Amino acid sequence: MSWRADIGLEVHVQLRTRSKMFCACPNAFGAEPNTQVCPVCLGYPGALPVINQEAIRLTVRTGLLIDAHINLRSKFDRKNYFYPDQAKNYQISQYDQPLCVGGHLDFSVNGESRRVGITRIHLEEDVAKNIHFDADSGVDFNRAGTPLMEIVTEPDLHAPEDTLAFLQALKQVLQYGGVSDCNLEQGNIRCDINCSVRRADAVNLGTKIEIKNMNTFRGVFRALQAEIPRQIRELERGRAIVQETRRWDDAAGRTESMRGKEDAHDYRYFPEPDLPPIVLSEETITAWRAELPDLPAARRARFVAAFSLPEYDAGVLVSDKEVADYFEETVAAGAPAKAASNWIMTELLARVSESGESIRDLKVAPAGLAALIQLVENRTINGPTAKEVLATMLVEGGDPGEIVSKRGLAQVSDAGALENFIEQVVASHAKSVADYRAGKQPAFEFLIGQVMRLSRGKANPQLVRELLKAKLG
Amino acid sequence: MSEPTTWTLAESARRVREGAISSLELTDAYLDRIDRLDRAIGAYLTVDADGARAQARAADERRSRGERAPLLGVPVGIKDVLNVSGWPCTCGSRILEGYRAPFDATAVERLRAAGAIPLGILNMDEFAMGSSTENSSRQLTRNPWDLERVPGGSSGGSAAAVAADLCPAALGTDTGGSIRQPAALCGCVGLKPTYGRVSRYGLVAYASSLDQIGPLTKDVRDAALLHDVISGRDPRDSTSLDLPPTSLASGLGRELTGMRLGLPAEYFIDGMDPEVETAVRAAVEQCKALGAEIVPISLPQTRYAIATYYIVATAEASANLARFDGVRYGRRVPGEDPIDMVERTRAAGFGPEVKRRIILGTYVLSSGYYDAYYLRALKVRRWIRAGFDEAFRSCDALLTPTSPSPAFRFGERTGDPLQMYLSDIFTVTVNLAGICGVSLPCGFTKAGLPIGLQVIGPALGEAAILRVAHAYEQSTEWHTRRPNLAVGEGAA
Amino acid sequence: MSETERQSPFDVAYVARLARLKLGEDECARLQAQLEDILAYVETLNEVDVSGIEPMTQALETQNVMRADVSAPGLDHAAVMANAPERRLGLFIVPRIIE
């Protein structure tokens, strides 16, 4: 008997704005509790909300990135429910006129391309953070009122692997769009999962189970790995799935029912009387569309076409927006594309993965890397020297040209000087010379190595090779 | 020189400006009178004597340096629903016990900028829900014209204080008549500005789409003056209108030639007090004598206004009052878990009328009833607005009674909430339509109770209604009458 | 209680639960009666033909009232905590939340 899972997500994304959704308090992570608060985000009596226009722009931008329809007329509503982390005991959200409806996101799983439908994207305010003690709980309102975008998908996902790949692709899009930092540790992306199971040949979806408050992609993956078989087991035992909300117990590795801990949901949505509607013009949307950055897939294609990079290189570079930007800036500073790609993919990314830093934190800026590559290209230094210079730059920073001249690392391409080295090597390694002449190629490589050593690595290897070959006839 | 506490706001400001009296002397005159009389009236919940004196001294110093401000050194009373930095703000409720406002409401900030001195906090029906101030959890406020009667509400403290000369003017708020009706019952002037004229920032919301701050004053000129001071765009209130500053006080005249005043038939109903009807009809004749043309009109929407109001207002209130949960400020009753704590806090903190309205508002928004009640009420609301729009195509303003009856006795209507609601019949329409209205004295009953005339204008029609009100007022002497209070005896 | 279990069209106990109001039995009975009266009165709105009328969701016709994304300091922490009924470690303290 074969079963099929249907998975949809409600993804909550914290937007990258300077201030909160409805007040001027800073939208920043990590401050001391209740120090980034004001009458508005604390729900003080008499305080009133004012819409942050940047949050509107970022939400519409997200809609444009996933081909959504942008509602020209949109409004805010009050969603009523009591909770200690909800300052007003209603949340300002969007009910029947969200900013964006429809759209889709393409991504690939194991080389297979997939598409997930997006139902809607709306804007709301985040709640406060609860901290639990043994006897009671504490509430910190610093996060309360920060702009939160909710992306609701169709139930187009069917496996934990799909879901994880979708979330990674979505994260990439949001980062590319400059919409969110998507820092999972800081809770920038959180989601609720809707998951049901049906027989593979069934037409209708099964009964939906909601798993709330997932904070990590790994958690989503593991929760689905546990929940899908659980539902299948229940059905195979002939038990019906009852619609309910469950929570993921990460330590126990299973989902558990939240029944009894939840009230009946009757959110009593009604239009927010404190906020006039948002009316967007076609001109505004056209202008915002023109500002959209390339998405990863498009950028990869462009890297292949414009820079003649191999597909593999382009794929590695665009997987992180900062790396792709770094690459483009290096090329713009004069480095040949393939050389820039090689240096970034091997030397810099190795360094980044070792240190855990971002490529932007390195002491080597794109212009410095481009200058280093130039030195190799014009044969001022050879490859091994360049690696040595780069190592210095990564530790101390500085200009590669200066490092080379200060340390006398410039490559020796003067034929006279090289002839001199070669004379010495040939004179002192008669056996190797004889071996080479007897047809043993490794002896030739040995002799080149000796010349390089004599030059303390600065000899132009190409020239040495030519001169030695001529010398030995 | 006459008794300073009988002066109007304009007169007080002028005399302080001219140096005839210092701000400190004027402030002390009020503090002294409050001391002697307010035990009998109960208008003030708190008097900030030290703060007011300190500000009065500062105002006198500013004046001596040659500084000018429209209300420099003049004290003003503030309804308990407006945040005043450092003061309590309880909204007449137990649930806000212990709360201290950390900021000024914009209207208060503007009063200060104009040089005025917030004098004290005035009593009100809890969360502005009521028409008699009997719903205050704090104390009873008595009508200065008859201490056995209510002052009206919800701004009953503001109206009683102005009528009893316990402040030259006060700020009130009006969601369904809460400025105009107590003004009528206490014989003073009360203006409900057009929705969006005055910033609501710092006004503790009852019904956000209806609430508006306005002045209660001794005459129409003062209402105009105070309106000019507190109105204008505020970036902290997204529903405040961006308009050029008004100068209503300078546009007041004494005759009404060329004005067309509508007389809606539906505002003269069966069961209204005959003395009220007689006085209002006489006022209409007086306006005619001043040159106005009287136009009989019909507003058939009127009979649906109360039902519409009680759905829209309570729905919004059910959300607005959800924030009072004992978590961040105000009173808390301990409980076993957060839900229990919140339920106990709200049960103990809110009075019966507030609970009634929260329940009604929650119900009309709840699943399965939204369309039948709330959505329908929003449609009727637009129809009510359309009715006024139509009327103002042929009229500059409308004349109506403010309240169907004069001040009633304590306890007379508390047993029957619906009867109490119906007494708002002539005022709620103005809030639902978002337009403006002013109430002013137009006579007295045989028993000596004040009667109010309401002048209703279109959106942003304050200049027109105040012109009508001022011309009428200046042709009568009603506004000069004072209640006979046994000065010095205090107890009642 | 789910909707189907609700016995009469207006059930004050259910609504009070939504509104987080703990009501005594007497209070419940009194409110049930008063609100039934009020709801009966409100039925007069059914006389109005509202077909084709747009709901008036805002008192004004304005739109796009927004602010620039600029941050500014809010309230002083000490002032905020001074209003808190129970506080510790800079937090608002509530009974243990079960999540």
Side-chain angles (χ1 to χ4, degrees):
Chain A
M1 183 98 44
S2 124
W3 297 90
R4 179 183 172 87
D6 300 287
I7 303 158
L9 298 173
E10 290 166 23
V11 187
H12 295 91
V13 181
Q14 284 184 332
L15 298 181
R16 191 165 78 186
T17 56
R18 290 186 195 89
S19 62
K20 290 187 180 180
M21 184 64 233
F22 297 113
C23 63
C25 287
N27 176 17
F29 181 82
E32 288 296 308
N34 294 307
T35 55
Q36 294 180 343
V37 291
C38 76
V40 178
C41 56
L42 279 173
Y44 260 47
L48 295 171
V50 185
I51 298 167
N52 182 342
Q53 60 187 21
E54 177 68 359
I56 302 287
R57 190 184 72 88
L58 291 176
T59 304
V60 170
R61 168 176 261 229
T62 307
L64 294 172
L65 287 170
I66 56 123
D67 289 325
H69 168 75
I70 309 301
N71 271 333
L72 292 184
R73 191 180 172 88
S74 177
K75 70 176 170 66
F76 285 94
D77 300 273
R78 292 185 182 177
K79 178 182 182 179
N80 294 286
Y81 68 95
F82 282 82
Y83 213 77
D85 62 11
Q86 181 78 271
K88 302 178 294 296
N89 287 316
Y90 62 81
Q91 180 184 32
I92 304 178
S93 182
Q94 298 193 287
Y95 181 51
D96 56 349
Q97 290 175 29
L99 280 161
C100 316
V101 288
H104 54 84
L105 183 68
D106 295 329
F107 63 103
S108 61
V109 194
N110 304 327
E112 214 179 292
S113 107
R114 302 286 304 276
R115 168 169 287 195
V116 163
I118 304 293
T119 315
R120 57 183 275 159
I121 306 177
H122 70 255
L123 192 51
E124 57 190 27
E125 53 181 340
D126 207 346
V127 296
K129 206 172 149 71
N130 300 322
I131 294 125
H132 304 298
F133 306 108
D134 287 343
D136 48 25
S137 300
V139 194
D140 170 10
F141 284 86
N142 284 349
R143 193 183 68 183
T146 56
L148 200 62
M149 177 174 71
E150 180 171 333
I151 302 169
V152 182
T153 79
E154 294 293 313
D156 291 347
L157 296 157
H158 303 290
E161 293 75 17
D162 291 4
T163 311
L164 184 61
F166 166 77
L167 283 170
Q168 277 160 347
L170 180 65
K171 178 181 165 195
Q172 234 176 37
V173 168
L174 296 172
Q175 278 178 329
Y176 262 82
V179 170
S180 173
D181 293 330
C182 296
N183 185 326
L184 290 160
E185 284 73 43
Q186 296 181 6
N188 288 169
I189 305 190
R190 312 188 295 269
C191 61
D192 300 338
I193 308 169
N194 290 310
C195 172
S196 62
V197 161
R198 56 173 152 152
R199 291 193 191 280
D201 57 357
V203 177
N204 295 324
L205 294 181
T207 304
K208 185 176 80 178
I209 295 293
E210 189 176 15
I211 309 169
K212 286 196 102 93
N213 304 326
M214 303 302 305
N215 296 317
T216 64
F217 288 0
R218 186 180 148 274
V220 171
F221 183 76
R222 293 188 62 216
L224 285 168
Q225 273 188 326
E227 177 64 13
I228 295 167
R230 186 193 70 84
Q231 290 187 25
I232 292 172
R233 273 197 310 276
E234 290 291 302
L235 292 168
E236 285 181 342
R237 286 176 194 160
R239 295 189 201 141
I241 300 287
V242 181
Q243 184 161 344
E244 64 171 345
T245 301
R246 298 177 73 85
R247 63 182 278 280
W248 168 241
D249 183 335
D250 198 72
R254 59 188 171 86
T255 64
E256 60 184 37
S257 178
M258 289 173 72
R259 215 169 359 197
K261 290 168 191 164
E262 291 247 312
D263 272 321
H265 290 301
D266 191 342
Y267 290 130
R268 290 158 285 135
Y269 281 100
F270 73 97
E272 169 56 272
D274 288 329
L275 296 171
I278 304 291
V279 180
L280 298 167
S281 66
E282 294 284 2
E283 292 74 53
T284 301
I285 292 174
T286 304
W288 285 351
R289 196 187 293 278
E291 290 168 5
L292 291 180
D294 275 349
L295 282 183
R299 202 172 193 187
R300 189 171 60 223
R302 182 164 60 82
F303 279 12
V304 170
F307 301 125
S308 307
L309 289 185
E311 282 280 353
Y312 175 78
D313 286 33
V316 171
L317 293 173
V318 303
S319 66
D320 182 330
K321 176 170 186 293
E322 286 190 335
V323 173
D325 291 346
Y326 191 103
F327 165 76
E328 285 210 76
E329 284 168 47
T330 306
V331 173
K338 180 58 185 153
S341 164
N342 287 347
W343 280 93
I344 291 170
M345 292 201 320
T346 55
E347 303 302 320
L348 296 191
L349 289 184
R351 175 77 181 199
V352 163
S353 72
E354 253 167 55
S355 65
E357 300 170 297
S358 140
I359 196 164
R360 290 291 179 190
D361 297 331
L362 297 179
K363 285 187 173 149
V364 181
L369 179 62
L372 180 69
I373 292 170
Q374 281 295 330
L375 292 177
V376 179
E377 291 293 315
N378 66 23
R379 308 199 166 186
T380 304
I381 54 174
N382 59 31
T385 306
K387 285 190 186 178
E388 207 179 307
V389 173
L390 182 68
T392 305
M393 291 167 74
L394 285 168
V395 176
E396 299 166 13
D399 176 69
E402 275 172 30
I403 293 171
V404 165
S405 64
K406 207 159 61 186
R407 302 205 187 161
L409 297 174
Q411 180 160 264
V412 179
S413 300
D414 169 44
L418 293 181
E419 293 275 15
N420 189 15
F421 291 137
I422 289 169
E423 291 286 351
Q424 289 182 45
V425 168
V426 169
S428 53
H429 293 88
K431 175 144 183 355
S432 298
V433 171
D435 284 352
Y436 170 66
R437 289 195 168 132
K440 289 184 180 169
Q441 189 59 29
F444 185 74
E445 298 302 326
F446 171 78
L447 292 168
I448 285 177
Q450 292 306 308
V451 175
M452 293 304 290
R453 213 177 90 188
L454 215 53
S455 74
R456 300 212 313 279
K458 293 186 289 182
N460 178 335
Q462 200 54 42
L463 200 50
V464 170
R465 182 171 291 271
E466 284 165 22
L467 291 171
L468 185 64
K469 206 166 221 173
K471 175 90 184 168
L472 299 180
Chain B
M1 194 160 77
S2 56
E3 178 64 38
T5 54
T6 63
W7 300 341
T8 64
L9 187 71
E11 215 174 336
S12 304
R14 181 173 56 78
R15 296 210 194 206
V16 170
R17 186 162 57 241
E18 290 168 353
I21 190 171
S22 71
S23 170
L24 188 60
E25 286 165 329
L26 181 64
T27 303
D28 276 336
Y30 277 107
L31 291 172
D32 176 60
R33 188 170 169 88
I34 291 166
D35 236 17
R36 283 183 291 122
L37 286 179
D38 200 41
R39 264 174 304 161
I41 306 291
Y44 282 92
L45 296 173
T46 310
V47 179
D48 184 16
D50 294 343
R53 281 209 181 90
Q55 288 174 74
R57 283 190 203 96
D60 286 331
E61 211 160 283
R62 284 174 63 187
R63 196 196 74 85
S64 69
R65 287 199 303 265
E67 279 183 47
R68 286 287 187 95
L71 299 176
L72 186 60
V74 183
V76 174
I78 312 289
K79 185 177 179 181
D80 191 27
V81 76
L82 296 171
N83 278 272
V84 179
S85 190
W87 283 11
C89 174
T90 71
C91 302
S93 181
R94 285 188 297 266
I95 209 160
L96 272 167
E97 273 170 13
Y99 170 73
R100 290 241 165 212
F103 66 104
D104 271 340
T106 300
V108 172
E109 197 177 83
R110 290 190 177 169
L111 277 184
R112 288 194 207 274
I117 300 169
L119 183 62
I121 305 173
L122 295 161
N123 197 22
M124 58 186 278
D125 282 302
E126 185 176 7
F127 286 106
M129 297 178 180
S131 312
S132 67
T133 311
E134 290 168 287
N135 293 334
S136 170
S137 75
R138 308 287 305 278
Q139 65 191 34
L140 213 56
T141 297
R142 295 171 183 278
N143 192 314
W145 295 92
D146 180 345
L147 298 180
E148 297 309 310
R149 290 174 188 265
V150 303
S154 66
S155 310
S158 300
V162 171
D165 293 333
L166 302 176
C167 58
L171 292 187
T173 61
D174 192 317
T175 307
S178 283
I179 289 174
R180 291 159 289 154
Q181 185 257 18
L185 270 51
C186 289
C188 48
V189 175
L191 170 65
K192 201 282 305 178
T194 303
Y195 187 84
R197 271 287 197 200
V198 182
S199 167
R200 294 182 293 114
Y201 191 79
L203 153 63
V204 184
Y206 157 23
S208 312
S209 77
L210 302 166
D211 294 340
Q212 195 64 186
I213 301 169
L216 288 107
T217 56
K218 298 184 191 198
D219 68 10
V220 173
R221 178 172 298 278
D222 280 2
L225 183 60
L226 215 42
H227 174 278
D228 290 345
V229 166
I230 62 174
S231 61
R233 164 89 183 129
D234 175 10
R236 289 169 297 189
D237 175 2
S238 308
T239 64
S240 77
L241 289 164
D242 196 2
L243 297 164
T246 56
S247 182
L248 299 179
S250 61
L252 304 172
R254 283 175 184 273
E255 43 85 39
L256 297 175
T257 311
M259 287 200 93
R260 292 168 60 87
L261 303 180
L263 203 61
E266 292 78 6
Y267 283 69
F268 296 87
I269 51 170
D270 288 345
M272 71 187 288
D273 188 291
E275 287 189 285
V276 170
E277 175 159 8
T278 307
V280 172
R281 291 207 185 272
V284 171
E285 287 309 305
Q286 178 72 5
C287 289
K288 202 169 168 182
L290 291 166
E293 181 189 342
I294 305 299
V295 188
I297 62 161
S298 172
L299 287 169
Q301 294 87 348
T302 310
R303 74 185 230 89
Y304 302 103
I306 293 285
T308 305
Y309 172 79
Y310 278 91
I311 291 172
V312 173
T314 59
E316 293 181 15
S318 72
N320 284 329
L321 270 60
R323 69 188 62 196
F324 303 105
D325 59 4
V327 173
R328 285 145 292 122
Y329 47 76
R331 183 176 176 163
R332 167 187 294 192
V333 178
E336 285 164 22
D337 55 53
I339 292 175
D340 188 47
M341 185 272 280
V342 173
E343 286 185 338
R344 286 172 189 276
T345 296
R346 291 164 63 79
F350 291 136
E353 183 58 34
V354 173
K355 287 180 189 169
R356 197 148 44 228
R357 295 198 197 188
I358 289 175
I359 298 270
L360 178 59
T362 303
Y363 179 70
V364 299
L365 290 174
S366 68
S367 171
Y369 301 97
Y370 182 95
D371 287 3
Y373 292 110
Y374 186 66
L375 190 63
R376 174 166 281 266
L378 293 185
K379 290 176 178 175
V380 177
R381 184 178 180 185
R382 186 173 296 282
W383 180 55
I384 289 170
R385 167 71 191 235
F388 279 112
D389 287 348
E390 176 66 33
F392 289 120
R393 274 192 272 278
S394 59
C395 304
D396 299 302
L398 313 179
L399 298 178
T400 78
T402 307
S403 171
S405 75
F408 45 93
R409 286 193 159 73
F410 290 107
E412 204 176 299
R413 296 185 190 174
T414 43
D416 187 347
L418 188 54
Q419 274 318 111
M420 188 76 104
Y421 296 175
L422 291 174
S423 60
D424 297 335
I425 178 101
F426 301 147
T427 47
V428 295
T429 50
V430 170
N431 302 78
L432 287 168
I435 57 179
C436 61
V438 61
S439 177
L440 71 160
C442 69
F444 287 82
T445 65
K446 288 189 198 77
L449 298 172
I451 297 169
L453 168 72
Q454 176 172 234
V455 188
I456 299 173
L460 307 180
E462 282 83 357
I465 62 171
L466 291 182
R467 184 183 159 198
V468 173
H470 183 257
Y472 169 78
E473 173 193 80
Q474 293 302 309
S475 73
T476 69
E477 46 79 50
W478 310 119
H479 64 291
T480 63
R481 290 206 195 167
R482 285 289 176 277
N484 184 19
L485 291 164
V487 174
E489 286 171 32
Chain C
M1 199 188 292
S2 79
E3 232 172 86
T4 47
E5 289 168 272
R6 286 160 71 177
Q7 288 136 7
S8 79
F10 177 74
D11 176 356
V12 75
Y14 169 81
V15 181
R17 173 80 182 164
L18 280 180
R20 288 281 189 273
L21 287 169
K22 186 158 275 176
L23 299 179
E25 262 180 47
D26 289 358
E27 212 173 0
C28 245
R30 194 170 58 247
L31 279 167
Q32 178 80 37
Q34 287 172 337
L35 284 159
E36 278 171 10
D37 270 7
I38 294 166
L39 287 169
Y41 172 73
V42 158
E43 296 291 325
T44 55
L45 291 190
N46 292 333
E47 296 167 12
V48 181
D49 177 11
V50 293
S51 53
I53 302 179
E54 280 296 302
M56 184 167 166
T57 54
Q58 297 275 326
L60 299 168
E61 303 283 312
T62 54
Q63 59 196 38
N64 296 340
V65 183
M66 293 187 259
R67 60 181 185 85
D69 182 26
V70 177
S71 80
L75 287 174
D76 174 59
H77 177 71
V80 167
M81 284 297 123
N83 265 327
E86 198 181 337
R87 55 191 172 261
R88 200 172 68 239
L89 303 170
L91 299 164
F92 295 94
I93 300 298
V94 295
R96 184 87 159 81
I97 300 169
I98 311 293
E99 277 176 315

mmCIF file of all heavy atoms in Angstrom, chain A residues 221-235:
data_model
loop_
_atom_site.group_PDB
_atom_site.id
_atom_site.type_symbol
_atom_site.label_atom_id
_atom_site.label_comp_id
_atom_site.label_asym_id
_atom_site.label_seq_id
_atom_site.Cartn_x
_atom_site.Cartn_y
_atom_site.Cartn_z
ATOM 1 N N PHE A 221 12.599 19.478 8.797
ATOM 2 C CA PHE A 221 12.940 18.218 8.125
ATOM 3 C C PHE A 221 12.674 17.032 9.051
ATOM 4 O O PHE A 221 12.006 16.064 8.692
ATOM 5 C CB PHE A 221 14.420 18.285 7.716
ATOM 6 C CG PHE A 221 14.894 17.098 6.949
ATOM 7 C CD1 PHE A 221 14.559 16.936 5.609
ATOM 8 C CD2 PHE A 221 15.682 16.128 7.561
ATOM 9 C CE1 PHE A 221 15.007 15.843 4.889
ATOM 10 C CE2 PHE A 221 16.137 15.025 6.850
ATOM 11 C CZ PHE A 221 15.794 14.879 5.509
ATOM 12 N N ARG A 222 13.168 17.134 10.265
ATOM 13 C CA ARG A 222 13.021 16.019 11.211
ATOM 14 C C ARG A 222 11.565 15.833 11.647
ATOM 15 O O ARG A 222 11.095 14.703 11.792
ATOM 16 C CB ARG A 222 13.894 16.261 12.446
ATOM 17 C CG ARG A 222 15.394 16.215 12.130
ATOM 18 C CD ARG A 222 16.205 16.269 13.411
ATOM 19 N NE ARG A 222 15.927 15.123 14.277
ATOM 20 C CZ ARG A 222 15.882 15.167 15.604
ATOM 21 N NH1 ARG A 222 16.088 16.307 16.227
ATOM 22 N NH2 ARG A 222 15.629 14.083 16.307
ATOM 23 N N ALA A 223 10.861 16.947 11.817
ATOM 24 C CA ALA A 223 9.456 16.844 12.226
ATOM 25 C C ALA A 223 8.659 16.097 11.162
ATOM 26 O O ALA A 223 7.820 15.244 11.471
ATOM 27 C CB ALA A 223 8.871 18.233 12.464
ATOM 28 N N LEU A 224 8.942 16.427 9.895
ATOM 29 C CA LEU A 224 8.220 15.740 8.824
ATOM 30 C C LEU A 224 8.641 14.279 8.726
ATOM 31 O O LEU A 224 7.817 13.398 8.460
ATOM 32 C CB LEU A 224 8.458 16.455 7.486
ATOM 33 C CG LEU A 224 7.692 17.778 7.342
ATOM 34 C CD1 LEU A 224 8.197 18.565 6.145
ATOM 35 C CD2 LEU A 224 6.189 17.507 7.218
ATOM 36 N N GLN A 225 9.916 14.014 8.962
ATOM 37 C CA GLN A 225 10.391 12.626 8.955
ATOM 38 C C GLN A 225 9.672 11.799 10.009
ATOM 39 O O GLN A 225 9.508 10.599 9.856
ATOM 40 C CB GLN A 225 11.902 12.590 9.238
ATOM 41 C CG GLN A 225 12.746 12.731 8.003
ATOM 42 C CD GLN A 225 14.213 12.495 8.317
ATOM 43 O OE1 GLN A 225 14.679 12.829 9.400
ATOM 44 N NE2 GLN A 225 14.929 11.911 7.374
ATOM 45 N N ALA A 226 9.269 12.454 11.078
ATOM 46 C CA ALA A 226 8.560 11.741 12.143
ATOM 47 C C ALA A 226 7.053 11.757 11.915
ATOM 48 O O ALA A 226 6.369 10.760 12.152
ATOM 49 C CB ALA A 226 8.880 12.378 13.498
ATOM 50 N N GLU A 227 6.522 12.886 11.459
ATOM 51 C CA GLU A 227 5.069 13.059 11.389
ATOM 52 C C GLU A 227 4.435 12.256 10.251
ATOM 53 O O GLU A 227 3.354 11.685 10.422
ATOM 54 C CB GLU A 227 4.729 14.551 11.262
ATOM 55 C CG GLU A 227 3.254 14.873 11.113
ATOM 56 C CD GLU A 227 2.402 14.480 12.326
ATOM 57 O OE1 GLU A 227 2.976 14.176 13.388
ATOM 58 O OE2 GLU A 227 1.166 14.470 12.184
ATOM 59 N N ILE A 228 5.085 12.218 9.110
ATOM 60 C CA ILE A 228 4.484 11.505 7.975
ATOM 61 C C ILE A 228 4.313 10.015 8.299
ATOM 62 O O ILE A 228 3.205 9.477 8.171
ATOM 63 C CB ILE A 228 5.288 11.740 6.672
ATOM 64 C CG1 ILE A 228 5.198 13.218 6.279
ATOM 65 C CG2 ILE A 228 4.769 10.856 5.535
ATOM 66 C CD1 ILE A 228 6.183 13.642 5.204
ATOM 67 N N PRO A 229 5.361 9.334 8.768
ATOM 68 C CA PRO A 229 5.155 7.927 9.156
ATOM 69 C C PRO A 229 4.141 7.744 10.286
ATOM 70 O O PRO A 229 3.416 6.758 10.307
ATOM 71 C CB PRO A 229 6.548 7.471 9.626
ATOM 72 C CG PRO A 229 7.496 8.463 9.064
ATOM 73 C CD PRO A 229 6.762 9.743 8.897
ATOM 74 N N ARG A 230 4.081 8.709 11.202
ATOM 75 C CA ARG A 230 3.102 8.602 12.282
ATOM 76 C C ARG A 230 1.688 8.563 11.723
ATOM 77 O O ARG A 230 0.871 7.718 12.083
ATOM 78 C CB ARG A 230 3.225 9.782 13.261
ATOM 79 C CG ARG A 230 2.318 9.655 14.497
ATOM 80 C CD ARG A 230 2.198 10.941 15.299
ATOM 81 N NE ARG A 230 1.432 11.975 14.611
ATOM 82 C CZ ARG A 230 0.099 12.073 14.624
ATOM 83 N NH1 ARG A 230 -0.609 11.191 15.304
ATOM 84 N NH2 ARG A 230 -0.517 13.034 13.958
ATOM 85 N N GLN A 231 1.428 9.511 10.799
ATOM 86 C CA GLN A 231 0.078 9.555 10.220
ATOM 87 C C GLN A 231 -0.213 8.276 9.431
ATOM 88 O O GLN A 231 -1.317 7.732 9.493
ATOM 89 C CB GLN A 231 -0.079 10.787 9.312
ATOM 90 C CG GLN A 231 -0.108 12.093 10.099
ATOM 91 C CD GLN A 231 -0.440 13.295 9.225
ATOM 92 O OE1 GLN A 231 -1.082 13.169 8.184
ATOM 93 N NE2 GLN A 231 0.003 14.474 9.632
ATOM 94 N N ILE A 232 0.803 7.801 8.703
ATOM 95 C CA ILE A 232 0.603 6.570 7.924
ATOM 96 C C ILE A 232 0.301 5.398 8.867
ATOM 97 O O ILE A 232 -0.622 4.614 8.620
ATOM 98 C CB ILE A 232 1.840 6.278 7.055
ATOM 99 C CG1 ILE A 232 1.962 7.357 5.964
ATOM 100 C CG2 ILE A 232 1.757 4.881 6.422
ATOM 101 C CD1 ILE A 232 3.246 7.306 5.158
ATOM 102 N N ARG A 233 1.061 5.338 9.961
ATOM 103 C CA ARG A 233 0.829 4.253 10.937
ATOM 104 C C ARG A 233 -0.604 4.296 11.468
ATOM 105 O O ARG A 233 -1.289 3.292 11.538
ATOM 106 C CB ARG A 233 1.793 4.387 12.115
ATOM 107 C CG ARG A 233 3.138 3.695 11.904
ATOM 108 C CD ARG A 233 3.877 3.495 13.231
ATOM 109 N NE ARG A 233 3.971 4.680 14.045
ATOM 110 C CZ ARG A 233 4.914 5.630 13.899
ATOM 111 N NH1 ARG A 233 5.818 5.528 12.942
ATOM 112 N NH2 ARG A 233 4.942 6.674 14.697
ATOM 113 N N GLU A 234 -1.035 5.502 11.820
ATOM 114 C CA GLU A 234 -2.402 5.647 12.337
ATOM 115 C C GLU A 234 -3.411 5.136 11.318
ATOM 116 O O GLU A 234 -4.316 4.375 11.646
ATOM 117 C CB GLU A 234 -2.703 7.131 12.648
ATOM 118 C CG GLU A 234 -1.963 7.696 13.843
ATOM 119 C CD GLU A 234 -2.438 7.100 15.154
ATOM 120 O OE1 GLU A 234 -3.645 7.212 15.445
ATOM 121 O OE2 GLU A 234 -1.602 6.495 15.867
ATOM 122 N N LEU A 235 -3.242 5.585 10.063
ATOM 123 C CA LEU A 235 -4.205 5.213 9.028
ATOM 124 C C LEU A 235 -4.166 3.704 8.762
ATOM 125 O O LEU A 235 -5.200 3.076 8.541
ATOM 126 C CB LEU A 235 -3.926 5.996 7.744
ATOM 127 C CG LEU A 235 -4.210 7.501 7.855
ATOM 128 C CD1 LEU A 235 -3.631 8.255 6.670
ATOM 129 C CD2 LEU A 235 -5.718 7.759 7.966
#
